[in-house]
Amino acid sequence: MTSQQSRELVQGAWRAFASRDPEQVSAVFTEDAEWLAPAGNATAVALGGTNHMVGREAIVHFLTVDFPRLFTKDVTVTFRGFHADGDVVVVEETMEATLSNGNSYSNDYCFVFELRDGLIHRVREYMDTARGARMVFAGQDG
C-alpha cells in the first residue's frame, strides 16, 4: 500500500470505531490483530480487562461493548495528525468524554498502526497513564 492509502485506511478505521457497529469495526482488522496499551492503564483496570488484546473478536468487543461502558457520552476525538510511511500510520489525538463516574475525561494519545494486506494488524497505544488514572479513579480508593 502507498502511504496515502494507509492513511486513508486508518482514517476510515476511526469512522468505524465511532460507529460502534461490530461489523464495521471487524472489517478493518486482521483476524490475528493485536492491540497493545501500557500495562496498568486506567481503562483496562476500570473495565477489568487487559492491556494486550489479541484477536479481532477481542478488539471488536472492547471497542463496541467495553469502551462505551466507561466512556459513556460526549466522546470526541480531535486529531492532531495522521503520519503515514508505507504500512505504518501514526495518529496523534486528544480524546474527551464523560466517564461512567460522571467525571470529565481529556487525554492525549499516540497510536501506531501496523497494516497487513490492507487491514490493521497491530495497534500500539500510548497515553499519559497517570493523568488517565486521576480522571477515572478520582474519589475512589486505589
Coordinates of all heavy atoms in Angstrom, one line a residue, residues 46-93:
A46 N -10.1 -0.3 35.1 CA -11.5 0.0 35.4 C -12.5 -1.0 34.8 O -13.5 -1.3 35.4 CB -11.9 1.4 34.9
L47 N -12.2 -1.5 33.6 CA -13.0 -2.5 33.0 C -12.7 -3.9 33.3 O -13.4 -4.8 32.8 CB -13.0 -2.3 31.4 CG -13.6 -0.9 31.0 CD1 -13.2 -0.7 29.5 CD2 -15.1 -0.9 31.2
G48 N -11.7 -4.1 34.1 CA -11.3 -5.5 34.4 C -10.7 -6.2 33.2 O -10.9 -7.5 33.1
G49 N -10.1 -5.5 32.3 CA -9.6 -6.1 31.1 C -8.1 -6.2 31.1 O -7.5 -6.1 32.1
T50 N -7.6 -6.3 29.8 CA -6.2 -6.5 29.6 C -5.6 -5.3 28.8 O -6.4 -4.6 28.1 CB -5.9 -7.8 28.9 OG1 -4.5 -7.9 28.7 CG2 -6.6 -7.8 27.5
N51 N -4.4 -5.1 28.9 CA -3.7 -4.0 28.1 C -3.2 -4.6 26.8 O -2.7 -3.9 26.0 CB -2.5 -3.4 28.9 CG -1.4 -4.4 29.1 OD1 -1.6 -5.4 29.7 ND2 -0.3 -4.1 28.5
H52 N -3.4 -5.9 26.6 CA -2.9 -6.6 25.3 C -4.0 -7.5 24.8 O -4.2 -8.6 25.2 CB -1.7 -7.4 25.6 CG -1.0 -8.0 24.4 ND1 0.0 -8.8 24.4 CD2 -1.4 -7.9 23.1 CE1 0.4 -9.2 23.2 NE2 -0.5 -8.7 22.4
M53 N -4.8 -6.9 23.9 CA -5.9 -7.7 23.3 C -5.3 -8.4 22.1 O -4.6 -7.8 21.3 CB -7.0 -6.7 22.9 CG -7.7 -6.1 24.1 SD -9.0 -4.9 23.5 CE -7.9 -3.5 23.2
V54 N -5.7 -9.7 22.0 CA -5.2 -10.5 20.9 C -6.4 -11.0 20.1 O -7.3 -11.7 20.8 CB -4.3 -11.6 21.4 CG1 -3.9 -12.5 20.2 CG2 -3.1 -11.1 22.1
G55 N -6.5 -10.8 18.8 CA -7.6 -11.3 18.0 C -8.6 -10.3 17.7 O -8.9 -9.5 18.6
R56 N -9.1 -10.3 16.5 CA -10.2 -9.4 16.0 C -11.3 -9.4 17.0 O -11.9 -8.3 17.3 CB -10.6 -9.8 14.6 CG -11.7 -8.9 14.1 CD -12.3 -9.5 12.8 NE -11.4 -9.6 11.7 CZ -11.3 -10.6 10.8 NH1 -12.2 -11.5 10.9 NH2 -10.4 -10.6 9.9
E57 N -11.8 -10.6 17.4 CA -13.0 -10.6 18.2 C -12.8 -9.9 19.6 O -13.7 -9.2 20.0 CB -13.3 -12.1 18.5 CG -14.6 -12.3 19.2 CD -15.0 -13.8 19.3 OE1 -14.9 -14.5 18.3 OE2 -15.3 -14.2 20.5
A58 N -11.7 -10.0 20.2 CA -11.4 -9.3 21.5 C -11.4 -7.8 21.3 O -11.9 -7.0 22.1 CB -10.1 -9.8 22.1
I59 N -10.8 -7.4 20.2 CA -10.7 -5.9 19.9 C -12.1 -5.4 19.6 O -12.4 -4.3 20.1 CB -9.7 -5.7 18.8 CG1 -8.3 -6.1 19.2 CG2 -9.7 -4.2 18.3 CD1 -7.3 -6.1 18.1
V60 N -12.8 -6.0 18.8 CA -14.2 -5.6 18.4 C -15.0 -5.5 19.7 O -15.8 -4.5 19.9 CB -14.8 -6.5 17.4 CG1 -16.3 -6.2 17.2 CG2 -14.1 -6.3 16.0
H61 N -15.0 -6.5 20.6 CA -15.7 -6.5 21.8 C -15.3 -5.3 22.7 O -16.2 -4.6 23.2 CB -15.5 -7.8 22.6 CG -16.4 -7.9 23.8 ND1 -16.0 -7.4 25.0 CD2 -17.7 -8.4 23.9 CE1 -17.0 -7.6 25.9 NE2 -18.0 -8.2 25.2
F62 N -14.1 -5.0 22.8 CA -13.6 -3.9 23.6 C -14.2 -2.6 23.0 O -14.7 -1.8 23.7 CB -12.1 -3.8 23.6 CG -11.6 -2.5 24.2 CD1 -11.7 -2.3 25.6 CD2 -11.2 -1.4 23.4 CE1 -11.3 -1.1 26.2 CE2 -10.8 -0.2 24.0 CZ -10.9 0.0 25.3
L63 N -14.0 -2.4 21.7 CA -14.4 -1.1 21.1 C -15.9 -0.9 21.0 O -16.4 0.3 21.1 CB -13.9 -1.0 19.7 CG -12.3 -0.8 19.6 CD1 -11.9 -0.9 18.1 CD2 -11.9 0.5 20.2
T64 N -16.7 -2.0 20.9 CA -18.1 -1.8 20.8 C -18.9 -2.1 22.1 O -20.1 -1.6 22.2 CB -18.7 -2.7 19.7 OG1 -18.4 -4.1 20.0 CG2 -18.0 -2.4 18.3
V65 N -18.4 -2.8 23.0 CA -19.1 -3.2 24.3 C -18.4 -2.5 25.5 O -19.1 -1.8 26.3 CB -19.2 -4.7 24.4 CG1 -19.9 -5.0 25.7 CG2 -20.0 -5.3 23.2
D66 N -17.1 -2.8 25.7 CA -16.5 -2.4 26.9 C -16.2 -0.9 26.9 O -16.5 -0.2 27.9 CB -15.1 -3.1 27.1 CG -15.4 -4.6 27.4 OD1 -16.4 -4.9 27.9 OD2 -14.5 -5.4 27.1
F67 N -15.6 -0.3 25.9 CA -15.3 1.1 25.8 C -16.5 2.0 26.2 O -16.4 2.9 27.0 CB -14.7 1.4 24.4 CG -14.3 2.9 24.2 CD1 -13.1 3.3 24.5 CD2 -15.3 3.8 23.7 CE1 -12.7 4.6 24.3 CE2 -14.9 5.1 23.6 CZ -13.6 5.6 23.9
P68 N -17.7 1.7 25.6 CA -18.8 2.6 25.9 C -19.3 2.5 27.4 O -20.0 3.3 27.9 CB -19.9 2.1 25.0 CG -19.2 1.4 23.9 CD -18.0 0.8 24.5
R69 N -18.9 1.4 28.1 CA -19.3 1.3 29.5 C -18.5 2.3 30.4 O -19.0 2.7 31.4 CB -19.0 -0.1 30.0 CG -20.0 -1.2 29.5 CD -19.8 -2.5 30.2 NE -18.4 -3.0 30.2 CZ -17.7 -3.5 31.2 NH1 -18.3 -3.5 32.4 NH2 -16.5 -3.9 31.1
L70 N -17.3 2.7 30.0 CA -16.5 3.6 30.7 C -16.6 5.0 30.2 O -16.8 6.0 31.0 CB -15.0 3.2 30.7 CG -14.1 4.0 31.5 CD1 -14.5 4.0 33.0 CD2 -12.7 3.5 31.4
F71 N -16.6 5.1 28.9 CA -16.7 6.5 28.2 C -18.1 6.6 27.7 O -18.4 6.2 26.6 CB -15.7 6.6 27.1 CG -14.2 6.4 27.6 CD1 -13.6 5.1 27.5 CD2 -13.5 7.5 28.1 CE1 -12.3 5.0 28.0 CE2 -12.2 7.3 28.6 CZ -11.6 6.1 28.5
T72 N -19.0 7.0 28.6 CA -20.4 6.9 28.4 C -21.1 7.8 27.5 O -22.1 7.5 26.8 CB -21.2 6.9 29.7 OG1 -20.9 8.1 30.4 CG2 -20.8 5.7 30.6
K73 N -20.6 9.1 27.4 CA -21.2 10.0 26.5 C -20.2 11.1 26.1 O -19.1 11.3 26.7 CB -22.5 10.6 27.1 CG -22.3 11.4 28.4 CD -23.6 11.8 28.9 CE -23.4 12.5 30.2 NZ -24.7 13.0 30.8
D74 N -20.6 11.9 25.1 CA -19.8 13.1 24.7 C -18.4 12.7 24.3 O -17.5 13.5 24.5 CB -19.8 14.2 25.8 CG -21.1 14.6 26.3 OD1 -22.0 14.7 25.5 OD2 -21.3 14.7 27.5
V75 N -18.2 11.6 23.7 CA -16.9 11.2 23.2 C -16.5 11.9 22.0 O -17.3 11.9 21.0 CB -16.8 9.6 22.9 CG1 -15.5 9.3 22.4 CG2 -17.2 8.9 24.2
T76 N -15.5 12.7 22.0 CA -15.0 13.4 20.9 C -13.5 13.2 20.7 O -12.8 13.0 21.7 CB -15.2 15.0 21.0 OG1 -14.6 15.5 22.1 CG2 -16.7 15.3 21.1
V77 N -13.1 13.2 19.5 CA -11.6 13.0 19.2 C -11.2 14.1 18.3 O -11.8 14.4 17.3 CB -11.4 11.6 18.5 CG1 -10.0 11.5 18.0 CG2 -11.8 10.5 19.4
T78 N -10.2 14.8 18.7 CA -9.6 15.9 17.9 C -8.2 15.4 17.4 O -7.3 15.1 18.2 CB -9.4 17.1 18.8 OG1 -10.6 17.5 19.4 CG2 -8.8 18.3 18.0
F79 N -8.1 15.2 16.1 CA -6.9 14.7 15.6 C -5.9 15.8 15.4 O -6.2 16.9 14.9 CB -7.2 14.0 14.2 CG -8.1 12.8 14.3 CD1 -9.4 12.8 14.0 CD2 -7.5 11.6 14.8 CE1 -10.2 11.7 14.1 CE2 -8.3 10.5 15.0 CZ -9.6 10.5 14.6
R80 N -4.6 15.5 15.8 CA -3.5 16.4 15.6 C -2.7 16.0 14.4 O -2.0 16.8 13.9 CB -2.6 16.3 16.9 CG -3.3 16.6 18.1 CD -3.5 18.0 18.4 NE -4.2 18.2 19.7 CZ -5.3 18.8 19.8 NH1 -5.9 19.3 18.8 NH2 -5.9 18.9 21.0
G81 N -2.8 14.7 13.9 CA -2.1 14.3 12.8 C -2.2 12.9 12.5 O -2.4 12.0 13.3
F82 N -2.2 12.6 11.2 CA -2.1 11.2 10.6 C -0.8 11.2 9.8 O -0.7 11.9 8.8 CB -3.2 10.9 9.7 CG -4.5 10.6 10.4 CD1 -5.4 11.6 10.8 CD2 -4.9 9.3 10.6 CE1 -6.6 11.3 11.4 CE2 -6.1 8.9 11.2 CZ -6.9 10.0 11.6
H83 N 0.2 10.4 10.3 CA 1.5 10.4 9.6 C 1.7 9.0 9.1 O 1.8 8.0 9.9 CB 2.6 10.8 10.6 CG 2.3 12.0 11.4 ND1 2.4 13.3 10.9 CD2 1.8 12.2 12.6 CE1 2.0 14.2 11.7 NE2 1.6 13.6 12.8
A84 N 1.9 8.8 7.8 CA 2.0 7.5 7.2 C 3.3 7.3 6.5 O 3.8 8.2 5.9 CB 0.9 7.3 6.2
D85 N 3.9 6.1 6.7 CA 5.1 5.7 6.0 C 4.8 4.3 5.6 O 5.0 3.4 6.4 CB 6.3 5.9 6.8 CG 7.6 5.6 6.1 OD1 7.6 5.4 4.9 OD2 8.6 5.5 6.8
G86 N 4.4 4.0 4.3 CA 4.1 2.7 3.9 C 3.0 2.1 4.7 O 1.9 2.7 4.8
D87 N 3.2 0.9 5.3 CA 2.2 0.2 6.1 C 2.2 0.6 7.6 O 1.6 -0.1 8.4 CB 2.4 -1.3 5.9 CG 2.0 -1.8 4.6 OD1 1.3 -1.1 3.9 OD2 2.5 -2.9 4.2
V88 N 2.8 1.7 7.9 CA 2.8 2.2 9.3 C 2.1 3.6 9.3 O 2.5 4.5 8.5 CB 4.2 2.2 9.9 CG1 4.1 2.8 11.3 CG2 4.8 0.8 9.9
V89 N 1.1 3.8 10.2 CA 0.5 5.0 10.3 C 0.5 5.4 11.8 O 0.1 4.6 12.7 CB -1.0 5.0 9.8 CG1 -1.7 6.3 10.0 CG2 -1.0 4.5 8.4
V90 N 0.9 6.7 12.1 CA 1.0 7.2 13.4 C -0.1 8.2 13.5 O -0.2 9.1 12.7 CB 2.3 7.8 13.8 CG1 2.3 8.4 15.2 CG2 3.4 6.8 13.7
V91 N -1.0 8.1 14.6 CA -2.1 9.0 14.8 C -1.9 9.7 16.1 O -1.7 9.1 17.1 CB -3.4 8.3 14.8 CG1 -4.6 9.2 15.1 CG2 -3.6 7.6 13.5
E92 N -1.9 11.1 16.1 CA -1.9 11.9 17.3 C -3.2 12.5 17.5 O -3.8 13.0 16.6 CB -0.8 13.0 17.2 CG 0.6 12.5 17.0 CD 1.5 13.6 16.7 OE1 1.6 14.1 15.5 OE2 2.2 14.1 17.7
E93 N -3.7 12.4 18.8 CA -5.1 12.9 19.0 C -5.3 13.2 20.5 O -4.5 12.8 21.3 CB -6.1 11.8 18.6 CG -6.1 10.6 19.6 CD -7.2 9.7 19.4 OE1 -7.4 9.2 18.3 OE2 -7.9 9.4 20.4

